[in-house]
Amino acid sequence: MPPRNGTQISEFILLGFSEDPELQPLIFGLFLSMYLITVLGNLLIILAFSSDSHLHTPMYFFLSNLSLIDICFTSTTIPKMLVNVQTQNKAITYAGCITQIYFLILFSVLDVFLLTVMAYDRYVAICHPLHYMVIMNPRLCGLLVLMSWILSVLNSLLQCLMALRLSFCANLEIPHFICELNQMIQLACSDTFLNNMVMYFAAVLLGGGPFAGILYSYSKIVSCIRGMSSAQGKYKAFSTCASHLSVVSLFYCTTLGVYLSSAAIQSSHSSETASVMYTVVTPMLNPFIYSLRNKDIKQALKTFFVKETTNRPVVLRLKTYP
């Protein structure tokens, strides 16, 4: 069958996890629960940061931005998947697929940049504590977040413009629950060499570069911690990095799994599992990882809810007698 131009395609079919009707309610309930937990958990971190002036520090500023991005990240994919499961309609429009790819790349790259910025923040806090507030001033923090947004937007725009030039044949079934760039490229009938080169070059540059920055920051942090004489100081310094290291490991391992699986023999089930980990599980776990051992966030939330309870107006009901 001759290839059709990509702009004339009306829709793709997202095959999802399973076609078994009996499993659809279970899948719907599981992903709805994870989505609600993700949104609620990350909203609580944003609420804690905005309500407590003691948390208006660079570390919590970056953490609140990460929470906002995680909410947007999951909202890009999960609601559409839930609608498809509920309506038993697996179709997604061509424009909807391109839009989903755009925001999926945007927020995943933003995640990478923010995790790198947070690693630099921990490096300054541990290795240069006396100059921390001077180096990590509000202007620099805002500039780092702004540059992360600009680079992420430009990369997403480039990737989607490259995808628009592809032509497709009869097979428009994506063996996935979301539209991913590598899955779309594999369905194309036209030459995909340039698309693959741009995709992998961006992955190495925007994924490998920040990862190298994270490794360099932590190599300096480890050197500083080893030079500390106090065991308590070493423990405190390490504990401030433990949460960040956990999130970095989880995010990078699952993201690399998605892209490496597309380069090797394609396994749709393994790719789907890796995608679930970095699009759903990681954003859901981030609030727990950062807040379970964080006394400042717990105290801020406790103070906020106590204040809201005590500030409620008391309504006096006057009983009238005949």
Side-chain angles (χ1 to χ4, degrees):
M1 185 174 182
R4 298 181 293 173
N5 187 280
T7 57
Q8 296 176 345
I9 294 173
S10 60
E11 62 184 23
F12 289 96
I13 304 298
L14 298 174
L15 297 181
F17 293 99
S18 173
E19 296 183 2
D20 188 352
E22 296 181 357
L23 291 178
Q24 300 308 306
L26 177 62
I27 294 174
F28 181 85
L30 178 63
F31 277 86
L32 178 61
S33 301
M34 289 193 294
Y35 178 66
L36 293 177
I37 293 172
T38 301
V39 173
L40 179 60
N42 284 287
L43 278 178
L44 286 176
I45 289 183
I46 296 173
L47 179 64
F49 171 77
S50 59
S51 63
D52 193 336
S53 59
H54 295 94
L55 297 184
H56 292 176
T57 61
M59 181 177 71
Y60 293 110
F61 171 71
F62 296 133
L63 179 57
S64 63
N65 275 273
L66 182 66
S67 296
L68 176 62
I69 291 169
D70 282 342
I71 292 174
C72 297
F73 195 13
T74 52
S75 298
T76 299
T77 56
I78 303 305
K80 174 60 179 174
M81 191 209 73
L82 293 175
V83 170
N84 286 1
V85 172
Q86 186 67 17
T87 61
Q88 297 298 304
N89 180 12
K90 298 182 179 182
I92 182 171
T93 64
Y94 177 78
C97 192
I98 291 292
T99 302
Q100 193 174 82
I101 288 174
Y102 175 84
F103 286 108
L104 193 63
I105 296 174
L106 170 65
F107 294 123
S108 61
V109 174
L110 267 173
D111 258 344
V112 171
F113 283 149
L114 273 181
L115 289 174
T116 308
V117 169
M118 292 171 74
Y120 175 70
D121 173 74
R122 292 299 83 205
Y123 157 71
V124 176
I126 293 173
C127 300
H128 304 282
L130 298 179
H131 303 284
Y132 176 71
M133 295 309 298
V134 176
I135 298 174
M136 301 302 296
N137 57 77
R139 182 179 179 181
L140 178 62
C141 294
L143 185 61
L144 289 172
V145 173
L146 178 61
M147 289 302 299
S148 299
W149 273 96
I150 292 174
L151 292 175
S152 301
V153 167
L154 292 177
N155 173 63
S156 299
L157 187 60
L158 173 63
Q159 299 287 355
C160 289
L161 289 176
M162 292 294 297
L164 289 173
R165 60 183 287 275
L166 296 174
S167 298
F168 298 88
C169 297
N171 182 22
L172 299 178
E173 293 183 345
I174 298 177
H176 225 298
F177 70 100
I178 58 176
C179 280
E180 281 191 332
L181 181 61
N182 56 339
Q183 297 286 342
M184 174 180 272
I185 291 175
Q186 289 173 10
L187 292 180
C189 291
S190 56
D191 183 27
T192 61
F193 176 78
L194 185 58
N195 292 77
N196 281 314
M197 287 300 100
V198 172
M199 180 179 68
Y200 287 113
F201 178 77
V204 171
L205 182 64
L206 302 179
F211 185 64
I214 293 174
L215 291 179
Y216 178 78
S217 297
Y218 274 102
S219 67
K220 294 294 184 180
I221 290 173
V222 170
S223 298
C224 290
I225 292 177
R226 290 178 61 185
M228 294 179 181
S229 57
S230 170
Q232 185 178 359
K234 290 182 179 181
Y235 174 78
K236 185 177 180 181
F238 177 77
S239 63
T240 61
C241 303
S243 299
H244 181 259
L245 276 174
S246 302
V247 173
V248 168
S249 302
L250 186 61
F251 182 84
Y252 264 95
C253 289
T254 53
T255 305
L256 285 175
V258 172
Y259 284 97
L260 290 178
S261 65
S262 65
I265 299 174
Q266 183 62 29
S267 173
S268 60
H269 292 294
S270 62
S271 180
E272 281 184 359
T273 303
S275 296
V276 169
M277 289 298 293
Y278 90 92
T279 59
V280 184
V281 177
T282 301
M284 181 183 68
L285 293 180
N286 282 357
F288 296 99
I289 293 173
Y290 278 109
S291 62
L292 282 179
R293 297 179 58 190
N294 194 308
K295 297 180 181 179
D296 294 334
I297 292 180
K298 290 180 181 179
Q299 184 60 40
L301 289 174
K302 182 179 179 181
T303 303
F304 174 80
F305 287 115
V306 169
K307 185 187 299 184
E308 286 296 311
T309 304
T310 55
N311 287 344
R312 286 181 181 176
V314 179
V315 179
L316 298 178
R317 296 183 178 181
L318 299 178
K319 185 177 181 180
T320 57
Y321 294 92

Short mmCIF file of all heavy atoms in Angstrom, two decimals, residues 1 56 63 67 71 92 103 107-108 110 116 126 129 146 151 170 175 187 193 205 209 233 238 249 254 262-263 298 318:
data_model
loop_
_atom_site.label_atom_id
_atom_site.label_comp_id
_atom_site.label_asym_id
_atom_site.label_seq_id
_atom_site.Cartn_x
_atom_site.Cartn_y
_atom_site.Cartn_z
N MET A 1 0.86 -1.19 0.00
CA MET A 1 0.00 0.00 0.00
C MET A 1 0.88 1.23 0.00
O MET A 1 1.82 1.32 0.79
CB MET A 1 -0.91 0.00 1.24
CG MET A 1 -1.91 1.14 1.24
SD MET A 1 -3.06 0.99 2.63
CE MET A 1 -4.11 2.41 2.32
N HIS A 56 11.04 29.08 51.95
CA HIS A 56 11.38 29.89 50.77
C HIS A 56 12.90 29.94 50.60
O HIS A 56 13.54 30.99 50.72
CB HIS A 56 10.78 31.29 50.89
CG HIS A 56 9.29 31.29 50.80
ND1 HIS A 56 8.52 32.44 50.95
CD2 HIS A 56 8.41 30.29 50.58
CE1 HIS A 56 7.25 32.13 50.83
NE2 HIS A 56 7.15 30.83 50.60
N LEU A 63 12.29 22.16 44.44
CA LEU A 63 11.43 21.01 44.72
C LEU A 63 9.97 21.30 44.36
O LEU A 63 9.28 20.44 43.79
CB LEU A 63 11.54 20.63 46.20
CG LEU A 63 10.68 19.45 46.67
CD1 LEU A 63 11.00 18.20 45.84
CD2 LEU A 63 10.91 19.18 48.15
N SER A 67 7.67 19.39 41.59
CA SER A 67 6.33 18.86 41.88
C SER A 67 5.31 19.35 40.85
O SER A 67 4.45 18.59 40.40
CB SER A 67 5.89 19.28 43.29
OG SER A 67 6.73 18.71 44.27
N ILE A 71 3.15 16.96 38.14
CA ILE A 71 1.70 16.99 37.95
C ILE A 71 1.36 17.13 36.47
O ILE A 71 0.50 16.43 35.93
CB ILE A 71 1.07 18.14 38.77
CG1 ILE A 71 1.19 17.86 40.27
CG2 ILE A 71 -0.40 18.33 38.39
CD1 ILE A 71 0.73 19.01 41.14
N ILE A 92 -6.58 7.74 19.15
CA ILE A 92 -6.11 9.08 19.49
C ILE A 92 -5.83 9.80 18.17
O ILE A 92 -5.24 9.22 17.25
CB ILE A 92 -4.84 9.04 20.37
CG1 ILE A 92 -4.41 10.46 20.75
CG2 ILE A 92 -3.70 8.28 19.71
CD1 ILE A 92 -3.29 10.52 21.79
N PHE A 103 4.41 17.45 24.83
CA PHE A 103 4.43 17.71 26.27
C PHE A 103 5.16 16.61 27.03
O PHE A 103 5.76 16.88 28.08
CB PHE A 103 3.00 17.88 26.80
CG PHE A 103 2.38 19.19 26.42
CD1 PHE A 103 1.38 19.25 25.47
CD2 PHE A 103 2.81 20.37 27.01
CE1 PHE A 103 0.81 20.46 25.12
CE2 PHE A 103 2.25 21.58 26.67
CZ PHE A 103 1.25 21.64 25.71
N PHE A 107 8.19 17.86 29.47
CA PHE A 107 8.25 17.68 30.92
C PHE A 107 9.30 16.66 31.35
O PHE A 107 9.84 16.77 32.45
CB PHE A 107 6.86 17.30 31.44
CG PHE A 107 5.84 18.39 31.28
CD1 PHE A 107 4.66 18.17 30.58
CD2 PHE A 107 6.07 19.65 31.80
CE1 PHE A 107 3.73 19.18 30.42
CE2 PHE A 107 5.15 20.67 31.64
CZ PHE A 107 3.97 20.44 30.95
N SER A 108 9.61 15.69 30.50
CA SER A 108 10.67 14.75 30.86
C SER A 108 12.03 15.43 30.84
O SER A 108 12.87 15.21 31.73
CB SER A 108 10.66 13.54 29.92
OG SER A 108 10.89 13.94 28.59
N LEU A 110 12.48 18.67 31.25
CA LEU A 110 12.45 19.59 32.39
C LEU A 110 12.80 18.86 33.69
O LEU A 110 13.50 19.40 34.55
CB LEU A 110 11.07 20.23 32.50
CG LEU A 110 10.87 21.57 31.80
CD1 LEU A 110 9.41 21.99 31.86
CD2 LEU A 110 11.74 22.64 32.40
N THR A 116 19.23 18.11 37.76
CA THR A 116 20.62 18.57 37.66
C THR A 116 20.84 19.84 38.47
O THR A 116 21.84 19.97 39.19
CB THR A 116 20.98 18.83 36.19
OG1 THR A 116 20.66 17.68 35.41
CG2 THR A 116 22.46 19.16 36.04
N ILE A 126 26.66 21.94 50.54
CA ILE A 126 27.56 21.09 51.32
C ILE A 126 29.02 21.54 51.21
O ILE A 126 29.76 21.56 52.19
CB ILE A 126 27.41 19.62 50.89
CG1 ILE A 126 26.01 19.11 51.26
CG2 ILE A 126 28.48 18.74 51.55
CD1 ILE A 126 25.70 17.73 50.74
N PRO A 129 29.06 26.05 52.24
CA PRO A 129 27.91 26.43 53.08
C PRO A 129 27.91 27.91 53.48
O PRO A 129 26.83 28.50 53.61
CB PRO A 129 28.06 25.52 54.30
CG PRO A 129 29.51 25.15 54.34
CD PRO A 129 29.94 25.07 52.92
N LEU A 146 14.29 29.25 34.37
CA LEU A 146 13.89 29.83 33.08
C LEU A 146 14.66 29.19 31.93
O LEU A 146 14.06 28.83 30.89
CB LEU A 146 14.11 31.34 33.10
CG LEU A 146 13.78 32.09 31.80
CD1 LEU A 146 12.30 31.93 31.44
CD2 LEU A 146 14.16 33.57 31.92
N LEU A 151 15.16 25.71 27.03
CA LEU A 151 15.81 24.60 26.33
C LEU A 151 14.85 23.44 26.11
O LEU A 151 14.87 22.79 25.05
CB LEU A 151 17.03 24.13 27.13
CG LEU A 151 18.21 25.11 27.20
CD1 LEU A 151 19.30 24.57 28.12
CD2 LEU A 151 18.78 25.38 25.80
N ALA A 170 -0.41 1.69 6.21
CA ALA A 170 -1.68 1.20 6.76
C ALA A 170 -1.62 0.91 8.25
O ALA A 170 -2.59 1.07 8.96
CB ALA A 170 -2.12 -0.05 6.01
N PRO A 175 1.79 -0.07 19.88
CA PRO A 175 1.71 -1.07 20.96
C PRO A 175 2.07 -0.46 22.31
O PRO A 175 3.02 -0.88 22.97
CB PRO A 175 2.72 -2.13 20.52
CG PRO A 175 3.75 -1.37 19.76
CD PRO A 175 3.01 -0.26 19.06
N LEU A 187 6.66 3.35 13.21
CA LEU A 187 5.51 3.09 12.34
C LEU A 187 5.64 3.76 10.97
O LEU A 187 4.85 3.46 10.07
CB LEU A 187 4.22 3.60 13.01
CG LEU A 187 3.75 2.87 14.26
CD1 LEU A 187 2.46 3.51 14.77
CD2 LEU A 187 3.54 1.39 13.98
N PHE A 193 15.93 7.93 9.17
CA PHE A 193 17.32 8.05 9.62
C PHE A 193 17.54 9.39 10.33
O PHE A 193 18.12 9.44 11.43
CB PHE A 193 18.28 7.91 8.44
CG PHE A 193 19.72 8.13 8.81
CD1 PHE A 193 20.45 7.12 9.45
CD2 PHE A 193 20.34 9.34 8.56
CE1 PHE A 193 21.78 7.32 9.81
CE2 PHE A 193 21.68 9.55 8.91
CZ PHE A 193 22.40 8.54 9.53
N LEU A 205 22.68 14.46 24.40
CA LEU A 205 23.05 15.81 24.79
C LEU A 205 22.28 16.29 26.01
O LEU A 205 22.87 16.80 26.98
CB LEU A 205 22.84 16.77 23.62
CG LEU A 205 23.24 18.23 23.84
CD1 LEU A 205 24.75 18.35 24.06
CD2 LEU A 205 22.81 19.09 22.66
N GLY A 209 24.42 14.88 29.14
CA GLY A 209 25.10 16.08 29.65
C GLY A 209 24.71 16.40 31.09
O GLY A 209 25.59 16.50 31.96
N GLY A 233 28.06 15.33 61.26
CA GLY A 233 28.06 16.20 60.09
C GLY A 233 28.01 15.41 58.80
O GLY A 233 27.34 15.79 57.84
N PHE A 238 24.92 13.64 54.14
CA PHE A 238 24.47 12.54 53.28
C PHE A 238 22.95 12.46 53.24
O PHE A 238 22.37 12.17 52.19
CB PHE A 238 25.05 11.22 53.77
CG PHE A 238 24.58 10.04 52.98
CD1 PHE A 238 25.11 9.77 51.72
CD2 PHE A 238 23.60 9.18 53.48
CE1 PHE A 238 24.67 8.68 50.99
CE2 PHE A 238 23.16 8.10 52.75
CZ PHE A 238 23.70 7.84 51.50
N SER A 249 18.18 8.16 40.44
CA SER A 249 18.39 6.78 40.04
C SER A 249 17.14 6.18 39.41
O SER A 249 17.20 5.53 38.35
CB SER A 249 18.81 5.94 41.26
OG SER A 249 19.98 6.45 41.85
N THR A 254 14.73 4.16 34.47
CA THR A 254 13.52 3.87 33.69
C THR A 254 13.53 4.58 32.34
O THR A 254 13.11 4.01 31.33
CB THR A 254 12.28 4.28 34.48
OG1 THR A 254 12.40 5.66 34.90
CG2 THR A 254 12.11 3.42 35.71
N SER A 262 14.18 0.58 22.49
CA SER A 262 13.84 0.87 21.10
C SER A 262 15.02 0.64 20.17
O SER A 262 14.85 0.42 18.98
CB SER A 262 13.35 2.32 20.97
OG SER A 262 14.40 3.22 21.27
N ALA A 263 16.23 0.71 20.71
CA ALA A 263 17.43 0.48 19.90
C ALA A 263 17.72 -1.01 19.77
O ALA A 263 18.27 -1.46 18.77
CB ALA A 263 18.63 1.18 20.52
N LYS A 298 6.87 18.39 56.69
CA LYS A 298 5.84 17.88 57.60
C LYS A 298 5.33 18.97 58.54
O LYS A 298 4.12 19.13 58.75
CB LYS A 298 6.40 16.72 58.43
CG LYS A 298 6.66 15.45 57.63
CD LYS A 298 7.21 14.37 58.55
CE LYS A 298 7.50 13.09 57.80
NZ LYS A 298 8.07 12.04 58.69
N LEU A 318 -28.79 30.95 67.28
CA LEU A 318 -29.66 31.42 68.35
C LEU A 318 -30.99 30.70 68.30
O LEU A 318 -31.65 30.65 67.26
CB LEU A 318 -29.88 32.93 68.20
CG LEU A 318 -28.61 33.79 68.28
CD1 LEU A 318 -28.97 35.27 68.07
CD2 LEU A 318 -27.92 33.60 69.62
#
